[in-house]
Amino acid sequence: MKFYNALQMDPSILKGKIAACSTRQEKTYYWTAIAVRSALIVAFAIVFISVLSGVFGADNTPLAVALFCMMLGIRFVNFQYHIGDSLVTLAAVLAILVFVPSIAAVLPPVFLILLHFAAFFAVLFMTTQRPEMGNGGLYSFAYIYLTGNPVAGEALVRRGLLALVGYLICGAILFAKHRHQHKTTRFRQVVRESELSAPIFLWQLRMALGVSLVLTAGQAFGVQRFMWMGFACASLLSEYPYRGNAFPRFWQRIVGAVAGCCGFFIFYLVMPEALHPLMGPLGGLCLGFCTDYRYKTAMNCFGALMLATEIYGLTGAVMLRIVDTLLGVTFGLVFAAIFHQLVAIRFLPMPESE
């Protein structure tokens, strides 16, 4: 296998090849590919996000981060329908990501649940016809992250211009990589053939309703960094096919978050202050080696806590991350159980449960 081809593979696939290797040389080859892949992604992320933030303002860094993730994902996963329709829905998704968070920031709490549900369900429906490919997690991250970082006025204008740049980049990649696929499937056909009892529709409905409720609660009650609650809840609900028993992922999320927070706390104390800005990239670099959900959760804490520490201090940021995670996964666990029971009453047989 060419080294370039190895760089395109997911770490889980590369680790599978490592496990199948019979020689140390082969193992070293694939471990090197994992390391180089991770380093290149982090380096590209720093350059890409820094350039866009420099041009469109630091207050629009969250959209730059979301666009970077979308750009990586859209290379491999399309929307499962005609390229022309896909380009239209991509524009609609970006419009939602730009304007809905700003509207939600000024809307009375009583209207938030309807806004979040309609917007988030639309995003999932347009982008995630095959949840097992990971699009659901990608676009839910973007929606929640931007909801937690709204802008207004001139900054909103700059965010719109940044979204336009992002559309040109992601649209070009989508067209180049996927224009020959799903030529006979139109978006209107996807809408027409959707069934309430279909596993995909139920997954989209559960994700949209659960995340909308937790975001609404976080905003209405003024929870600090409420988007962390949203991330935790969405992570719990993003499994596909969904299960009535969400306890395994519930505990994995808690263990990963606590481990990541403790690791960040220790590293922050022992590392020289001049090296603190490197902790975010360090977490991203380590994330490139992770395939286990708990380890991914732990490494994701580093970048989030690095930013939050500047606002809340080290102890405050760590405690807030843990508390928000507990609130998010607890809400997700209860919501998943209730939703599963309602589905069991309405539709028989029930979706697979463990």
Side-chain angles (χ1 to χ4, degrees):
M1 176 186 297
K2 293 182 179 180
F3 193 70
Y4 175 80
N5 293 331
L7 293 178
Q8 308 305 307
M9 293 184 173
D10 187 85
S12 60
I13 298 176
L14 291 172
K15 286 190 175 182
K17 291 186 175 295
I18 291 171
C21 288
S22 57
T23 66
R24 181 179 296 273
Q25 182 178 7
E26 290 178 307
K27 292 180 183 290
T28 301
Y29 179 83
Y30 287 116
W31 276 118
T32 302
I34 292 177
V36 172
R37 175 186 181 277
S38 181
L40 288 175
I41 290 176
V42 171
F44 182 47
I46 293 173
V47 173
F48 182 86
I49 295 169
S50 297
V51 169
L52 292 183
S53 298
V55 174
F56 296 97
D59 45 6
N60 282 317
T61 298
L63 180 56
V65 173
L67 288 173
F68 174 77
C69 297
M70 290 170 59
M71 183 176 59
L72 293 184
I74 216 163
R75 292 176 59 213
F76 303 103
V77 185
N78 56 55
F79 298 161
Q80 304 296 308
Y81 45 84
H82 190 274
I83 186 63
D85 294 348
S86 296
L87 291 172
V88 173
T89 53
L90 176 62
V93 167
L94 286 171
I96 290 172
L97 294 179
V98 169
F99 294 110
V100 169
S102 297
I103 296 172
V106 298
L107 203 65
V110 67
F111 298 114
L112 282 176
I113 179 62
L114 293 176
L115 176 68
H116 282 314
F117 175 77
F120 191 41
F121 182 82
V123 168
L124 290 177
F125 190 86
M126 288 187 287
T127 64
T128 314
Q129 291 301 314
R130 290 189 62 190
E132 67 273 18
M133 301 300 290
N135 261 10
L138 168 62
Y139 289 95
S140 66
F141 163 78
Y143 184 87
I144 295 167
Y145 191 32
L146 291 168
T147 298
N149 293 277
V151 292
E154 190 264 341
L156 180 58
V157 175
R158 286 188 276 108
R159 180 164 290 191
L161 293 174
L162 175 55
L164 177 59
V165 172
Y167 176 76
L168 294 176
I169 296 173
C170 293
I173 295 172
L174 183 65
F175 183 81
K177 296 290 184 178
H178 306 290
R179 65 184 182 276
H180 299 303
Q181 301 181 43
H182 311 293
K183 289 185 175 182
T184 61
T185 305
R186 305 308 298 254
F187 181 67
R188 61 178 178 271
Q189 179 183 345
V190 175
V191 175
R192 189 167 53 246
E193 295 178 354
S194 296
E195 297 181 4
L196 183 59
S197 60
I200 292 176
F201 189 89
L202 289 173
W203 178 88
Q204 293 167 340
L205 182 63
R206 187 177 81 154
M207 274 283 286
L209 184 56
V211 172
S212 299
L213 286 170
V214 80
L215 289 179
T216 299
Q219 289 182 266
F221 291 105
V223 177
Q224 294 293 315
R225 233 52 183 178
F226 67 88
M227 63 181 179
W228 286 349
M229 292 172 53
F231 291 146
C233 179
S235 178
L236 196 74
L237 301 178
S238 63
E239 276 193 299
Y240 182 82
Y242 80 81
R243 302 170 179 177
N245 181 10
F247 268 107
R249 205 166 180 89
F250 171 83
W251 289 115
Q252 289 172 357
R253 184 76 185 191
I254 292 176
V255 169
V258 172
C261 288
C262 291
F264 178 87
F265 187 87
I266 294 171
F267 273 101
Y268 194 92
L269 291 178
V270 302
M271 287 180 68
E273 185 175 351
L275 297 180
H276 285 169
L278 297 178
M279 293 185 65
L282 175 63
L285 187 66
C286 294
L287 184 64
F289 288 83
C290 298
T291 55
D292 187 279
Y293 176 69
R294 292 166 297 179
Y295 299 138
K296 289 182 178 180
T297 300
M299 291 301 102
N300 276 326
C301 289
F302 276 58
L305 288 173
M306 191 66 250
L307 295 175
T309 298
E310 299 176 3
I311 304 172
Y312 305 102
L314 176 60
T315 302
V318 167
M319 293 303 300
L320 187 59
R321 179 76 175 188
I322 293 174
V323 170
D324 280 355
T325 297
L326 288 173
L327 289 173
V329 294
T330 300
F331 178 90
L333 183 69
V334 174
F335 174 81
I338 295 173
F339 186 90
H340 187 70
Q341 290 304 314
L342 293 176
V343 169
I345 294 172
R346 177 65 178 83
F347 302 110
L348 291 175
M350 291 184 295
E352 181 183 355
S353 175
E354 292 186 1

